Amino acid sequence: MLVSEEHTLIYDGTFDGFLTGVFDVYELKLQTVIFQRPESVQESLFGNTLEITTDLNKADRVWKGIKSKTSARGSSRLYAAFLSGQWQVEALLLDYIQLAFESALLIDSDFSNETVLKISQIAKSVGREKHRMEAFVRFRLTNDGIYFATIEPDFDVLPLISKHFKNRYADQKWIIYDMKRGYGLYYDLDKVEVMQLSLPEGFDATKTKSDYFIASELEFQTLWQDYFESTNIASRKNMKLNVQHVPKRYWKYLSEKLR
Amino acid sequence: MSFERTQEKLKILADAAKYDVSCASSGSKRSNASKGLGDATGMGICHSYTEDGRCVSLLKILLTNYCIFDCAYCVTRKSNDIKRAAFQVQEVVDLTINFYRRNYIEGLFLSSGIFKSADYTMERLVAVAKKLRLEENFNGYIHLKSIPGASDELMKEAGLYADRLSVNIEIPTREGLKLLAPEKNREDFIKPMVKVKNEIIQYQSEKKIIKSTPKFAPAGQSTQMIIGASGESDQQIMWTSNYFYKKFNLKRVYYSGYIPISYDSRLPQIGTDVPMLRENRLYQTDWLMRFYGFEVHEILNNDHQNLDLDVDPKLGWALRNMEHFPVDVNKADQLMLARIPGLGMKSVYKIIQARQFRKLNWDHLKRMGVALNRAKYFLVCDSRDFERRDLTGPQLKSIILQNTTSKYQKILSPQLNLFE
Ligand code: SF4
């Protein structure tokens, strides 16, 4: 009999890295594991530490396996929950994956199961933020002819919104940059690529300086702010409802809220 | 585009357009197939919310607020002493494209005062949509107002470029219209609606044979009525609404509480409250008709001409028809489940799914997230525990109102959950 031993798996924080870890868990028949990202590694006194080397082949096999044991909705929930980056979400995900592999039935709608319920709740809040970002991204046209937007979402939603923006803005170059996570998406009229910017010293993403943005950019912002004010009906004002729809933490990059 | 002039026009023409409450940008199926700009396949996004809590999804403006008519309830009426302005066709195109490219909006909602004639006005609205589609390769959402009295040819062209068309009937009754807009007649509103309806039917049948048939107003038609401007009853409003839904296959009817804008003695005076609660009750009734299987006369009829303000219309109906209750959630069909006060359609579906596995009791219902505080008086489940007192409608109403006083505060907000 195997002695139940705790293993700490250190992976690179990517989804492929995580899936590679899942592969190793099965291959090495590990019992109790804790996933850690390099930035959050804590020395553990007991158990063993394993460094996971991301292997696209392994990741792919695990992902295919997951897809064959879950509905489309279930597997996209897993991915969304992963992007939440929530503390120890990997353990929950592993739990879910193991459940799915063991069960003869699809477990995705078995909400009386705590793991399934939790994953679906996390995925739901990530999904909510995905929709919010699709709504709240505000592009500004740079002097280089690129529509540029900055965001600071709670979760790592860029991978989820990529397709939406690619379909919609097929004929303009754009960048959506996550200031919190320090990376962005760049669409070059052909494909979307992940990119990192070295932002100029003292760059303030909430300001529209002519060093970076075209001269008429501020005019369009003004027109938009004017429009926003004109379309309001004062006798129906209801700020509580407004804040509920557009939480204040998102206001920073919303041009209509900057007045 | 001269910034200052555009700025001034935009302020005037957005301000004049805001009384149209429709903001829907969903229901179209225009995809970005040619690598152009925009995509209207999705659900429609609210890009922001006004301070009054309404969705901002479209650039909603008038082409002009010059008007040859003098409808008493309208800010744009000829006799009103206000600043007037008119956009050039190209200006509207540029604004739309530039707002869209910045991800401010889902598209354009273009309406207009009537200058010179109905056709002259409609022609320009169509010109904007046509330019957007053909010159800018724009696939975002376009909603055009059908100008009452516009010719069939123009309406046909409008439908080729717009996703949605709407004519606002504004005043629910013939008499009201006569009083407040004597120069207008109902036939003028109905004519473009009939044309669009017929074209949509024709498009749908042709499309079955020829796949490439050009789209015609894929998001359908809608209309709006002003509430509380002409002393009409809720029965008159909802029967009119029902008539328009059925007769013209409308996608939506909007109800807009009258916002006092004039000292005209035929109308509620400035300072009068906007009837927001009443407006909300009408929307609830509209939902009951469209999604809950109610016939309009069940809720509003000669004996019951106005909706209760203190209870929602479904609860009101139940209290007047106590003989249908309690409903057994383990046996009742979908239509009857949908009639239980406090139960939304989501809960109805959940119940129908869950009861295939086991008989449901109070605990099951609670865990599934079914709101029971009101429903519990109207249903029985797999339990000996249920409301045994043989209460009359009025008795039950007072019990429910006592228990839910705080909840009713929320009803004053314009976009609350329709059935909490
Ligand atoms: S025709 Fe239209 S714009 Fe002109 S006054 Fe009447 S409602 Fe207003």
Side-chain angles (χ1 to χ4, degrees), chain B residues 67-71 73-74 76-78 112-114 170 184:
Chain B
C67 191
I68 54 175
F69 285 92
D70 204 32
C71 312
Y73 47 82
C74 175
T76 300
R77 68 188 180 279
K78 182 174 62 184
S112 185
I114 301 175
E170 304 289 21
K184 278 190 171 171

Side-chain angles (χ1 to χ4, degrees), chain B residues 119 126 150-160 191 195:
Chain B
D119 274 354
V126 172
S151 72
D152 283 0
E153 294 70 49
L154 277 170
M155 288 322 298
K156 172 151 192 193
E157 215 189 342
L160 292 176
K191 188 168 154 267
K195 176 66 184 168

Side-chain angles (χ1 to χ4, degrees), chain B residues 256-270:
Chain B
S256 175
Y258 176 68
I259 294 158
I261 40 103
S262 140
Y263 288 104
D264 192 315
S265 62
R266 291 169 291 178
L267 287 162
Q269 292 304 290
I270 288 182

Side-chain angles (χ1 to χ4, degrees), chain B residues 340-356:
Chain B
I340 300 175
L343 228 58
M345 279 323 273
K346 267 195 194 145
S347 295
V348 169
Y349 295 131
K350 275 193 216 160
I351 288 172
I352 289 174
Q353 288 201 323
R355 73 184 184 188
Q356 296 171 354

Side-chain angles (χ1 to χ4, degrees), chain A residues 134-135 137-139 147 167-169 171-172 189 217 226-228 231-233 236 238 242 256, chain B residues 7 18 32 35 38 45-52 54 58 60 98 100-103 106 279:
Chain A
E134 287 170 357
V137 155
R138 297 285 179 264
F139 288 116
Y147 285 84
N167 285 342
R168 176 166 293 214
Y169 298 110
D171 74 341
Q172 72 190 43
L189 298 182
E217 190 53 42
D226 286 345
Y227 173 70
F228 189 74
T231 198
N232 183 45
I233 300 179
R236 301 181 63 122
N238 184 339
N242 179 273
E256 69 271 23
Chain B
Q7 184 180 29
K18 70 187 176 190
N32 189 354
K35 264 207 147 179
I45 298 175
C46 289
H47 285 271
S48 199
Y49 291 84
T50 60
E51 291 191 344
D52 55 52
R54 286 172 311 136
L58 302 171
K60 191 192 294 183
N98 276 294
Y100 195 88
R101 286 198 183 283
R102 286 167 175 75
N103 204 41
E106 291 291 281
E279 180 188 293

